[in-house]
Structure formats: structure tokens, C-alpha cells
Amino acid sequence: MLAKRIIPCLDVKNGRVVKGVNFVSLRDAGDPVENALVYDKEGADELVFLDITASHEMRKTIVDIVNRTGDAVFMPFTVGGGISAVEGIRELLNAGCDKVSINTSCVNRPDFINESSKRFGSQCIVVAIDAKQKGKGWEVYTHGGRRPTGIDAVKWAKEVESRGAGEILLTSMDRDGTKEGYDIKLTCKVSESVGIPVIASGGCGSREDIYQVLTKGKADAALAASIFHYREISVKDVKEYLKDKGVPIRICTRKGDHD
């Protein structure tokens, strides 16, 4: 069985890390590169940067952050937010990130997934799915969680896989920032429906929440923000907890080296 991954997520606005609840009520959580250095030292498997302003004017800011992070850390990292063309993907990959996360542009033009994976390889393309419960299912939202699409999240997950996505970043909007635990049903349903890795996001409040989503939720990786940013718990503590409970996990033995 492949090792499960622990992935801190850094939402970036105006060059600073921020965190909110249900995609709103943002508060400052520090410098992105300084946060990245902490997580690198703690043994995080990967890192995700999401440019939540995602405007053309702010693009230079996130590219600068990618450059500085690439020079400072050893772990792979993903960047997302406002990417709508292959040129934007190329710019970010050239700046030093390992993968890009795309969301709204894929829903608006699904062929963008095919074009991106063909150009750069599916291993570079993460499709982010922001989902909110609707009846017995879940609806996909775009534009930073502001616009409902009427698209079923599970069906969309299957489609993005068929179009060449290498990974899915699945966020429960209902749980985002609440610390009430991941949406296990949503995560399990999507994980069972696709053959590519699923990163669970939204709602992490404890080590046990991570354990549950990696086991009952069948996620391949757990993404968290608040509990790491405000130093409520460390990545190292989470990994040791998971290892003690029999979850396959990589434990960092020294900076830049995993066993």
C-alpha cells in the first residue's frame, strides 16, 4: 500500500497566508515562505499554495512566492488559483512548483484538462473540486466557492479523471475551516469512484480527523490548514500518531530525507 500523505495548505492573499471559515472571514496566518520552511522541517510530504485573489494583477506576487519557496524547501508543492491557460501553467512550473491546481477554468472549459495533461503530463495536473451538499449528493462550486454549477461532484470527479487529471483536491465547503472533521461520506464516495489519488480537504480539527479520512474516507492524502498554521499541532505529531495506528506514512528522519 502506498504511503498516505500529509499536506499543509497555504491560502495566499496579497502575499500573506490567510485562513477563514466556509471560504469567508479571513484572518492572517503569516508569511508563506516562512510557513513553508516550518512544514519542510517538520516533514510534510507536500505543500499546496492557493492564490485566493487570483487576479491578473496579483499573479506576479504568487510567482515570486513560488520562486522563493522553490529555493528554500525540498518538498514538492502545488500552486492553484486563477489558472486558465497553458501559458499560466508553464510560468508556474518554470518558477519552481511541481504541480498546478485548476478548478473554475476546467468547469468552464473541460477540454482545458485534456490540453494541460497532454502538454505537461497528468502528474502535473491537479483538479480542485469544491463541493457543497445538496440533497443526497454534492454540487460543484466555482469562483472560490461563490458560484454553484449544478454539476454533481462525483460525476465531475469521474470526468476529470477521464480527461487526464492526475489527482483530485476535494474540498468540502460545508466543513471548510470548521474543525468539525472532514466530510467522510463525500470523500469516500469520490475516492471509490476514481482510480487517481484524492486529497481530502475541509474541516480538519484533530489528528483523529486525519486518521478517519485516510481510513474510512479512503483518501490518499489529507490537507489541513488552521491546525498547522496556528501551531495547534505539528505535522510530525500527526505522522507519529498515524504510524502508531498502523497507517502507512513516511516519517522524516532529517531535513530533505524520508524513510
Side-chain angles (χ1 to χ4, degrees):
M1 180 184 292
L2 293 176
K4 302 290 187 177
R5 291 170 288 149
I6 304 301
I7 306 176
C9 179
L10 304 176
D11 291 336
V12 178
K13 181 179 182 181
N14 299 328
R16 298 287 292 178
V17 177
V18 296
K19 187 56 192 162
V21 178
N22 303 128
F23 283 42
V24 296
S25 302
L26 303 177
R27 59 175 175 150
D28 189 89
D31 177 78
V33 180
E34 289 178 3
N35 273 279
L37 284 166
V38 170
Y39 298 135
D40 188 43
K41 186 175 181 180
E42 289 182 357
D45 296 290
E46 297 179 22
L47 194 67
V48 170
F49 285 109
L50 295 179
D51 176 11
I52 64 172
T53 44
S55 66
H56 175 71
E57 291 76 15
M58 293 306 299
R59 179 59 60 200
K60 289 183 179 180
T61 299
I62 196 69
V63 170
D64 176 63
I65 290 170
V66 171
N67 272 309
R68 292 191 291 127
T69 302
D71 290 339
V73 305
F74 293 95
M75 62 184 166
F77 62 99
T78 300
V79 177
I83 302 169
S84 58
V86 292
E87 290 77 13
I89 296 176
R90 181 184 296 108
E91 182 179 20
L92 290 167
L93 292 175
N94 286 341
C97 72
D98 300 270
K99 308 174 193 176
V100 295
S101 174
I102 49 181
N103 183 351
T104 299
S105 56
C106 298
V107 177
N108 291 341
R109 192 170 69 85
D111 283 345
F112 183 45
I113 305 171
N114 304 67
E115 295 166 6
S116 302
S117 61
K118 184 177 180 180
R119 180 73 63 88
F120 303 105
S122 61
Q123 77 282 354
C124 292
I125 307 302
V126 180
V127 171
I129 300 177
D130 297 334
K132 182 180 287 188
Q133 188 164 7
K134 183 179 181 181
K136 294 183 179 180
W138 297 268
E139 182 178 8
V140 174
Y141 276 64
T142 59
H143 297 82
R146 294 185 296 273
R147 189 174 299 179
T149 64
I151 299 171
D152 177 78
V154 177
K155 290 181 179 179
W156 179 234
K158 294 178 181 179
E159 181 173 347
V160 303
E161 178 184 27
S162 71
R163 288 180 175 275
E167 199 162 27
I168 291 172
L169 171 54
L170 177 67
T171 300
S172 165
M173 293 179 59
D174 302 297
R175 300 296 182 94
D176 177 68
T178 65
K179 298 186 181 179
E180 295 176 355
Y182 298 90
D183 189 329
I184 301 298
K185 289 183 179 180
L186 167 63
T187 307
C188 185
K189 188 71 173 179
V190 171
S191 296
E192 290 180 336
S193 299
V194 299
I196 56 178
V198 173
I199 304 169
S201 171
C204 181
S206 68
R207 298 177 300 179
E208 179 64 18
D209 290 340
I210 293 176
Y211 172 73
Q212 291 295 329
V213 83
L214 293 177
T215 54
K216 291 184 179 180
K218 301 184 180 181
D220 298 274
L223 181 145
S226 298
I227 64 166
F228 293 145
H229 298 343
Y230 301 116
R231 313 300 181 230
E232 296 171 20
I233 194 169
S234 71
V235 172
K236 182 180 179 182
D237 288 340
V238 169
K239 288 194 166 192
E240 290 176 348
Y241 177 82
L242 294 172
K243 184 177 181 180
D244 288 344
K245 293 180 78 69
V247 176
I249 200 82
R250 288 188 292 269
I251 302 293
C252 184
T253 54
R254 70 176 186 274
K255 188 173 182 179
D257 188 15
H258 294 73
D259 62 13

